[in-house]
Amino acid sequence: NPGEKYRFTRHNIGFMVVDEFARKNGFPDFTLNKKSNSLTSESIVEGGKVLLAKPQTFMNNSGSSVSALTKNSKLKTKNLVLVHDDIDLPLGTIKISVNRGSAGHKGVESLIDALGTKNFTRIRVGIQPASSAGRPTGKPENMESFVLKKFAKEEQETLELAVQNALEALETVLTAELK
């Protein structure tokens, strides 16, 4: 979701990963791409061009931004890598999915609908809270409210690990794609 208000919320963990990737790889500052309503940054990684994008629509409408971006940059959807939150996974867990349905995630559903395909890679970053014993507590009753909350102080260490693990997954996927 766009804006400072949502910057460190669970729904924006994908932006956190993309920001860290950009920082680590020396990408230029993000600028607004008006045609796609996205903040974008472009650079060369492992000899290949990489375009990072952070849609400035709300998560559940991000498909329109990604669709415009893929058309304007002539990006094949099979080369698209989406990094997003996943309430079905415990915080700190990372899963890579390719050519799979949305599993109820409205933002992913928006992309699939707008692109007309599910043939892209997803790096799913778990955001489900854990109990004090470290076990997942299950999905919260008010999902919308939960995903728009910031991470608790006691989750910071696990959050940093999750971002690092997702960053490594993104680097692995991109390295494989760029070869």
Side-chain angles (χ1 to χ4, degrees):
N1 289 323
E4 194 62 32
K5 174 181 176 182
Y6 300 106
R7 187 165 180 212
F8 296 109
T9 63
R10 294 174 188 275
H11 233 358
N12 279 28
I13 199 164
F15 280 11
M16 292 177 211
V17 173
V18 169
D19 285 339
E20 183 60 18
F21 181 86
R23 186 200 63 74
K24 183 178 177 190
N25 290 284
F27 274 66
D29 289 343
F30 283 84
T31 58
L32 182 62
N33 176 313
K34 290 181 182 177
K35 289 181 182 178
S36 68
N37 192 22
S38 297
L39 293 175
T40 61
S41 182
E42 196 172 312
S43 191
I44 303 296
V45 176
E46 298 286 329
K49 184 170 100 172
V50 175
L51 174 66
L52 301 177
K54 300 188 298 184
Q56 295 302 287
T57 59
F58 284 93
M59 169 71 83
N60 296 349
N61 297 317
S62 55
S64 61
S65 287
V66 175
S67 177
L69 197 61
T70 58
K71 287 176 185 162
N72 293 332
S73 64
K74 296 182 175 117
L75 172 71
K76 296 176 183 173
T77 56
K78 69 178 186 158
N79 295 332
L80 176 67
V81 180
L82 173 66
V83 183
H84 69 88
D85 63 289
D86 193 321
I87 189 65
D88 292 328
L89 300 174
L91 179 61
T93 304
I94 307 300
K95 284 199 175 180
I96 299 173
S97 301
V98 180
N99 203 17
R100 303 266 322 248
S102 69
H105 191 289
K106 302 290 189 215
V108 175
E109 200 171 291
S110 173
L111 258 75
I112 292 171
D113 289 347
L115 297 172
T117 184
K118 57 185 178 179
N119 188 22
F120 54 90
T121 301
R122 294 168 39 205
I123 298 176
R124 301 163 44 206
V125 185
I127 61 166
Q128 189 180 113
S131 67
S132 58
R135 293 184 194 89
T137 58
K139 290 183 182 180
E141 283 186 35
N142 186 338
M143 189 82 68
E144 188 174 317
S145 172
F146 175 75
V147 297
L148 296 178
K149 286 184 180 173
K150 296 186 183 212
F151 290 93
K153 283 184 181 179
E154 57 272 7
E155 295 176 309
Q156 289 305 310
E157 189 175 316
T158 306
L159 171 62
E160 289 171 20
L161 179 63
V163 169
Q164 202 56 43
N165 288 341
L167 176 64
E168 289 173 16
L170 179 58
E171 289 171 341
T172 299
V173 168
L174 287 177
T175 300
E177 296 247 344
L178 295 170
K179 287 186 177 182

